[in-house]
Amino acid sequence: VCEGHLEAITCLSVSGSVVVSGSDDMDLRVWDLREDIREGGSGARCVVRHVHSGHTGKVLCCCIVRGLLVSGSEDKTVRVWDLASGKHLSTLSEHTNAVLCLATDGRSTVYSG
């Protein structure tokens, strides 16, 4: 069990052993899930790699593409983060309503709506 969000989780994105969760608490958490191979280990364990704060509304969607984390929110913005460093790279604020979904072509384009 991974613990950390203060409110309901609203979205998940997975890439290898990395899981990103977005929440009603307006944060995204980047989890590193690795097998606990120690003697007596309990299987997978959760390690928080980064906590991304900055949205001023609930996080509604997220996706991982080419080393970037992209998130959409009730605050009408799309934010782009570097997945490895956790650094915030950009905020796109052209939406006139909440950003409900994100999709990627798997290469370099992310669509939002």
Side-chain angles (χ1 to χ4, degrees):
V1 175
C2 301
E3 296 180 0
H5 283 292
L6 302 176
E7 297 195 32
I9 292 174
T10 54
C11 58
L12 295 170
S13 186
V14 180
S15 178
S17 67
V18 174
V19 175
V20 175
S21 56
S23 171
D24 282 353
D25 64 12
M26 300 183 280
D27 288 340
L28 293 122
R29 290 181 182 268
V30 179
W31 307 90
D32 193 350
L33 304 181
R34 296 187 183 161
E35 284 297 316
D36 187 354
I37 58 173
R38 298 172 298 159
E39 187 174 331
S42 60
R45 60 188 173 111
C46 300
V47 177
V48 176
R49 189 185 287 176
H50 302 289
V51 177
H52 298 283
S53 300
H55 280 296
T56 58
K58 298 174 182 179
V59 177
L60 302 175
C61 50
C62 62
C63 69
I64 298 170
V65 60
R66 301 196 75 173
L68 299 175
L69 166 58
V70 183
S71 59
S73 171
E74 208 173 55
D75 67 9
K76 305 177 189 175
T77 67
V78 172
R79 289 182 174 258
V80 181
W81 320 81
D82 182 275
L83 190 60
S85 71
K87 181 179 179 187
H88 176 252
L89 301 175
S90 181
T91 300
L92 309 171
S93 54
E94 287 77 26
H95 283 274
T96 56
N97 290 299
V99 180
L100 301 175
C101 57
L102 295 167
T104 177
D105 63 5
R107 293 186 300 264
S108 61
T109 304
V110 176
Y111 303 93
S112 60

